[in-house]
């Protein structure tokens, strides 16, 4: 990290996951996914917006034919607690009946968003639905939700970078760090 960079000023100086670690893990996950889905009709779905960086790197490491689609969901509720109701802001463009769907998410925290999306998409007749998440915060879990592919398990801290935001900022930081509490404590 360039300590003089304005991009990093709100991030704790000790990075949680570096560029190199991300690239290495994404490569491993891509190889594993290609092995697991060999010969299947795979649709990889980016859950907007947080997963876009992970998604675009991951699909280039999956060495097999596949299609992509996008979905955007937001959970209702206040900042401290999501209510469990999920609103679909952008739905898939294509039918997923009979397809093997891999949902790509930035981070699983309470698990509510993905639990809802998995149930909803299953009802549309997908052959299988699995989840790949870059980060997993198991301590935050409120509902049962286990991702099938996990990049990194992290502690219960608020992190930004590599697609993850706070108030829509910091998504373009190329690595992942803990947001300095002064940012949200005002
Ligand atoms: P949940 O698993 O339904 O609680 O929601 C996961 C969503 O909450 C993610 O897709 C992120 O948008 C957001 N989120 C949870 N923890 C963090 C974090 O540490 N940094 C940034 N966004 C987070």
């Amino acid at each position: 990290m360039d300590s003089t960079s304005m991009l990093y000023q709100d991030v704790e100086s000790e990075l949680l996951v570096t560029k190199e670690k991300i690239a290495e893990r994404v490569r491993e996950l891509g190889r594993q996914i290609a092995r697991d889905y060999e010969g299947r009709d795979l649709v990889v779905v980016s859950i907007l917006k947080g997963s876009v960086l992970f998604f675009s790197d991951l699909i280039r490491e999956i060495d097999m034919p596949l299609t992509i689609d996008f979905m955007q969901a937001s959970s209702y509720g206040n900042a401290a607690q999501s209510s469990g109701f999920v609103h679909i802001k952008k739905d898939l463009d294509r039918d997923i009946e009979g397809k093997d769907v891999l949902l790509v998410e930035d981070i699983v925290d309470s698990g509510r968003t993905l639990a809802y999306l998995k149930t909803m998409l299953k009802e549309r007749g997908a052959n299988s639905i699995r989840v790949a998440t870059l980060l997993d915060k198991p301590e935050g879990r409120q509902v049962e939700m286990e991702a099938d592919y996990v990049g990194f398990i992290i502690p219960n801290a608020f992190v930004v970078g590599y697609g993850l935001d706070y108030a829509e900022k910091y998504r373009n930081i190329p690595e992942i760090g803990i947001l300095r509490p002064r940012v949200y404590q005002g």
Side-chain angles (χ1 to χ4, degrees):
M1 159 175 84
D2 174 5
S3 57
T4 61
S5 165
M6 291 294 285
L7 195 56
Y8 287 85
Q9 63 185 350
D10 292 336
V11 175
E12 300 282 7
S13 50
E14 192 80 44
L15 284 173
L16 209 56
V17 196
T18 61
K19 275 186 222 179
E20 293 76 20
K21 284 262 176 245
I22 294 171
E24 188 188 324
R25 189 73 185 114
V26 170
R27 219 171 294 128
E28 286 171 0
L29 290 175
R31 275 201 290 263
Q32 195 185 338
I33 290 165
R35 272 199 304 274
D36 293 353
Y37 284 93
E38 196 186 342
R40 311 259 293 271
D41 196 356
L42 177 62
V43 185
V44 188
V45 174
S46 168
I47 311 295
L48 298 170
K49 303 175 193 167
S51 79
V52 286
L53 276 71
F54 175 45
F55 173 83
S56 61
D57 285 340
L58 182 66
I59 56 173
R60 284 177 286 181
E61 298 292 348
I62 305 175
D63 188 13
M64 62 174 277
L66 54 79
T67 59
I68 64 170
D69 210 334
F70 297 87
M71 192 164 206
Q72 188 168 14
S74 67
S75 33
Y76 289 120
N78 58 40
Q81 201 173 14
S82 72
S83 61
F85 292 103
V86 177
H87 169 63
I88 306 299
K89 291 171 87 174
K90 190 231 168 284
D91 207 338
L92 297 172
D93 288 337
R94 306 281 294 270
D95 192 5
I96 53 163
E97 192 171 349
K99 310 262 187 202
D100 291 294
V101 177
L102 180 64
L103 299 175
V104 179
E105 180 61 297
D106 54 356
I107 186 165
V108 184
D109 186 16
S110 74
R112 290 186 198 283
T113 310
L114 277 169
Y116 177 89
L117 291 181
K118 276 184 84 171
T119 307
M120 190 190 91
L121 296 180
K122 193 84 198 161
E123 283 166 9
R124 295 187 191 176
N127 184 51
S128 70
I129 298 171
R130 287 190 186 164
V131 170
T133 186
L134 175 68
L135 303 175
D136 188 1
K137 282 202 277 199
E139 290 165 52
R141 209 68 95 251
Q142 305 273 330
V143 297
E144 204 179 318
M145 217 327 281
E146 222 180 298
D148 303 275
Y149 304 94
V150 176
F152 303 93
I153 293 175
I154 62 161
N156 210 2
F158 198 86
V159 297
V160 292
Y162 195 62
L164 288 109
D165 76 310
Y166 174 72
E168 292 297 330
K169 294 201 297 192
Y170 314 109
R171 294 194 197 274
N172 60 324
I173 297 175
E175 25 213 345
I176 299 159
I178 296 176
L179 188 65
R180 290 188 199 271
R182 65 157 194 238
V183 178
Y184 47 88
Q185 283 166 0

